[in-house]
Amino acid sequence: MRILGLHASFSHNTHDPTVCLIDKGELQGIYEEERFNRIKISRGHFPLYALKALLKDNDLDLRAIDLIATTGITCPWLKEKIEEVLNHHFGYSPEIKFIHHQIAHMWTALYAGGPNDTNFLCIDAFGDQKSGIYGRRIGKKIDYKFIELDQSLGNLYAVGTSILGFTPGEDEYKVMGLASYGGDFRDKNQSFYKTSICNGFLPNSSQEIISKVKTNYQPYFTHKQLMEVNSKYGDVRSDFKSQTDFAYAVQKNYEECVFKLIQQCTDEFPVIGKALAMAGGCALNCQANLKIQEKGYDVFVSPVSSDRGLALGSAIAVSQNLKGNVKGLKGICYGQKLDNDSVYKELTNNGLVESVKPLNVFQIAKELHDGKIVGVCHGRSEAGARALGRRSILASAQIKNMKDELNKKIKYREKFRPFAPAVLDEDGEKLFENYKISRYMTRNLRAKKYAQDNIPACIHIDGTARVQSVIKEDGLIYEILKSYKDISGIGVLINTSFNLKGQPIVQTARDSIGTFFQCGIDILVVGDYVVMKN
């Protein structure tokens, strides 16, 4: 059976439209619309370009699809909308089955690579009139409970993000990075938005306004609320110390609520062991994930935790309902393939073919060691929010000011935001406390003194790093790291996504060449070719 997973967007508050294909229990692809239409997050978009590409790459017509699985079970108008789009563009609409938004997140968590018997916790802003789900799986039996909308931890963080002047639903990671610079917790009674209690958390209804927000351009707070925050912290829009301390309070409140919610989950749904599978947008809070792990939990976070994973979760859920068996993830490189024929054609069209060189991994590693910045667009792209070596910008983590260089020449982003390291798995224990393989950049680890001394450009102000563990199966980035280690003695590089600020990660050779010439990247690896700037 062929099941098409679909996360379609018909309103501005719906984001990250995606499609995926499961064919006879095997995941064939996860394609995100933003990679094709080049509109970051693609709010309000149907994944039309992604769907056309997915069908073409698998030599299929939409009539070959047996079922469509999608979230939106509480939206009675959605079926007609989807059918209308499909009939218009393809002349046909397969049968559509609806899955609850939070159930879809649950299935991506359970496919994160953890043990079969596990607790799970999925924390979201909102979806299908709930804000999350928690429970357990033992054998084939799953028990769960939804988290109500007025207890939304995603909304808690979104309000804090908005108060700081960032874009809620997009910039929460900035608050997480900013929080590490703070520490003066002036809100000890936790009056900001939520109150942590023994069995989870309670909403502060006097602060709750997010349910009234209709578009992403409206503020998620009232003027009165902003004045209350400023009375405790100072001007959180202009004073850096005030900003950092308020961000710290947002993170601290969030963590306290998460810890008690986990306790509530494990008390209600006990499981032998301390395995915890996580998904939902809030599961990308790497700093909280570190602290959950430090409390003794064996944490497994889905690499497609956010709404980018809903298509996959929906397809898995429908397959399970039909007694089907979906095979586990083999890494996370389920995006579109980059073939050398298309690369050569693009290089020719851009007048570059006469100046390119064949890929030499050792030479790339040497250039990185000499301080060059390298863009990589190679093989099949990653699904999810992280670039993991297929669509990445690489740089030396040993050069102390490399973070500033990347920001100045390429990323054009806030100085307080850290860059993540790609680390050979074999070197992980030497560099980080309580090291455990983390292939998808889903949690922070505390750097040992050796790491702080030798790879300073990727260690955050609080002594942590969002680690990507790299193994042989990761392909080119593994080969580059091995060669870099042969030269430098340490198998670590900065790895950041191949894009400019406000743009989606590059997908095609054309995207990568265009981005290469718009910024200060020194060398481009595109397919098996290398382009160098004079």
Side-chain angles (χ1 to χ4, degrees):
M1 174 173 281
R2 292 192 183 102
I3 300 174
L4 180 76
L6 173 70
H7 174 51
S9 183
F10 289 98
S11 75
H12 194 75
N13 279 329
T14 310
H15 50 86
D16 298 312
T18 308
V19 291
C20 84
L21 176 64
I22 294 177
D23 190 351
K24 298 176 183 176
E26 189 88 38
L27 178 60
Q28 301 299 321
I30 305 172
Y31 285 19
E32 300 167 36
E33 182 68 4
E34 71 168 25
R35 301 290 186 97
F36 298 91
N37 68 11
R38 309 306 300 157
I39 302 171
K40 190 172 183 179
I41 295 179
S42 291
R43 291 181 178 274
H45 286 256
F46 187 90
L48 181 63
Y49 295 105
L51 175 55
K52 287 181 176 180
L54 183 64
L55 292 172
K56 180 181 178 182
D57 290 349
N58 286 275
D59 296 320
L60 294 175
D61 181 87
L62 191 61
R63 293 179 184 275
I65 301 299
D66 297 298
L67 285 173
I68 289 179
T70 186
T71 55
I73 199 168
T74 61
C75 303
W77 48 267
L78 190 55
K79 182 174 184 290
E80 183 180 347
K81 286 274 190 184
I82 294 172
E83 289 175 338
E84 184 179 285
V85 172
L86 295 178
N87 282 319
H88 176 74
H89 289 282
F90 300 93
Y92 174 73
S93 175
E95 180 184 354
I96 302 172
K97 289 190 176 292
F98 285 88
I99 298 297
H100 197 285
H101 185 108
Q102 307 304 336
I103 294 290
H105 277 316
M106 177 193 78
W107 278 111
T108 65
L110 293 175
Y111 269 72
N116 185 79
D117 294 359
T118 183
N119 285 112
F120 57 83
L121 173 62
C122 305
I123 314 172
D124 210 6
F126 51 85
D128 278 325
Q129 301 178 17
K130 304 294 180 182
S131 70
I133 189 171
Y134 64 87
R136 69 181 170 196
R137 178 177 65 184
I138 299 178
K140 294 185 177 180
K141 188 174 188 299
I142 296 175
D143 302 295
Y144 63 83
K145 181 181 286 187
F146 287 119
I147 302 171
E148 298 302 321
L149 268 182
D150 65 355
Q151 295 176 316
S152 171
L153 287 182
N155 287 356
L156 179 154
Y157 224 90
V159 171
T161 302
S162 186
I163 286 174
L164 283 164
F166 302 129
T167 304
E170 297 181 27
D171 290 344
E172 280 77 1
Y173 59 92
K174 296 183 182 180
V175 180
M176 185 174 64
L178 192 60
S180 296
Y181 288 83
D184 185 0
F185 193 18
R186 309 176 206 176
D187 206 5
K188 291 183 172 61
N189 294 323
Q190 297 183 314
S191 59
F192 167 65
Y193 194 68
K194 301 286 180 183
T195 303
S196 174
I197 59 173
C198 60
N199 64 343
F201 49 93
L202 288 174
N204 181 346
S205 58
S206 68
Q207 305 290 344
E208 176 74 78
I209 67 156
I210 199 165
S211 60
K212 301 172 186 175
V213 175
K214 301 302 180 186
T215 77
N216 197 49
Y217 301 111
Q218 293 172 255
Y220 278 39
F221 57 89
T222 63
H223 182 72
K224 177 183 176 182
Q225 189 177 15
L226 179 60
M227 292 301 100
E228 181 182 341
V229 168
N230 283 347
S231 70
K232 294 176 181 178
Y233 292 93
D235 190 344
V236 297
R237 289 296 183 90
S238 62
D239 180 69
F240 186 71
K241 173 65 174 169
S242 299
Q243 291 173 329
T244 59
D245 286 342
F246 179 68
Y248 177 83
V250 174
Q251 179 72 17
K252 185 78 170 176
N253 280 333
Y254 171 80
E255 289 171 1
E256 287 299 317
C257 291
V258 169
F259 298 153
K260 291 182 177 178
L261 187 56
I262 292 171
Q263 189 63 55
Q264 183 176 336
C265 170
T266 55
D267 287 347
E268 289 186 39
F269 300 107
V271 173
I272 295 174
K274 299 196 77 172
L276 179 65
M278 297 182 68
C282 292
L284 293 175
N285 192 310
C286 300
Q287 190 66 1
N289 294 346
L290 164 63
K291 294 179 181 178
I292 294 168
Q293 183 172 304
E294 290 178 336
K295 287 181 176 290
Y297 290 95
D298 201 6
V299 181
F300 297 87
V301 181
S302 170
V304 284
S305 285
S306 67
D307 284 5
R308 299 167 191 265
L310 289 175
L312 174 62
S314 299
I316 294 172
V318 165
S319 180
Q320 293 290 330
N321 292 343
L322 296 173
K323 310 301 181 185
N325 181 42
V326 180
K327 298 175 184 176
L329 296 177
K330 298 175 181 177
I332 198 55
C333 295
Y334 286 100
Q336 193 173 47
K337 296 175 183 176
L338 184 74
D339 65 273
N340 276 322
D341 288 343
S342 67
V343 172
Y344 189 84
K345 180 180 178 181
E346 205 61 52
L347 290 169
T348 302
N349 291 344
N350 283 274
L352 297 170
V353 75
E354 298 298 327
S355 59
V356 300
K357 300 177 181 179
L359 174 59
N360 181 315
V361 171
F362 186 83
Q363 185 61 35
I364 293 298
K366 186 176 183 302
E367 297 284 0
L368 285 162
H369 186 254
D370 290 343
K372 295 293 194 295
I373 299 170
V374 178
V376 177
C377 182
H378 186 274
R380 194 167 186 182
S381 64
E382 309 91 338
R386 310 295 190 211
L388 301 170
R390 305 293 183 96
R391 302 293 186 276
S392 290
I393 296 171
L394 305 179
S396 172
Q398 296 176 281
I399 300 172
K400 191 170 184 179
N401 69 339
M402 183 55 75
K403 173 184 169 182
D404 296 332
E405 285 295 300
L406 286 166
N407 273 328
K408 182 175 69 176
K409 296 170 66 174
I410 300 164
K411 301 297 278 191
Y412 315 124
R413 65 189 202 178
E414 296 86 356
K415 291 183 179 180
F416 60 78
R417 290 168 56 191
F419 285 100
V423 180
L424 285 175
D425 182 46
E426 64 198 53
D427 289 351
E429 289 187 11
K430 180 180 180 180
L431 296 162
F432 298 99
E433 303 285 351
N434 302 312
Y435 176 77
K436 178 186 174 185
I437 189 169
S438 178
R439 293 185 64 194
Y440 308 120
M441 290 189 184
T442 52
R443 62 177 173 270
N444 287 359
L445 293 175
R446 298 194 190 279
K448 292 182 177 179
K449 186 177 187 304
Y450 180 83
Q452 295 181 31
D453 291 343
N454 287 278
I455 50 171
C458 63
I459 306 302
H460 197 28
I461 187 72
D462 61 359
T464 67
R466 190 185 72 207
V467 173
Q468 176 199 355
S469 305
V470 178
I471 60 176
K472 189 173 183 179
E473 288 75 8
D474 291 319
L476 180 61
I477 190 171
Y478 174 82
E479 296 173 20
I480 293 173
L481 279 167
K482 289 290 282 186
S483 293
Y484 187 86
K485 183 178 179 180
D486 290 341
I487 297 167
S488 68
I490 190 165
V492 180
L493 288 166
I494 289 175
N495 177 14
T496 188
S497 56
F498 195 165
N499 65 309
L500 303 183
K501 183 180 178 182
Q503 296 181 4
I505 298 173
V506 301
Q507 175 65 35
T508 65
R510 179 177 297 177
D511 299 336
S512 65
I513 292 168
T515 303
F516 175 59
F517 283 110
Q518 289 179 60
C519 67
I521 296 175
D522 300 302
I523 300 168
L524 172 65
V525 175
V526 54
D528 291 333
Y529 301 97
V530 175
V531 184
M532 303 183 74
K533 288 178 181 170
N534 294 327

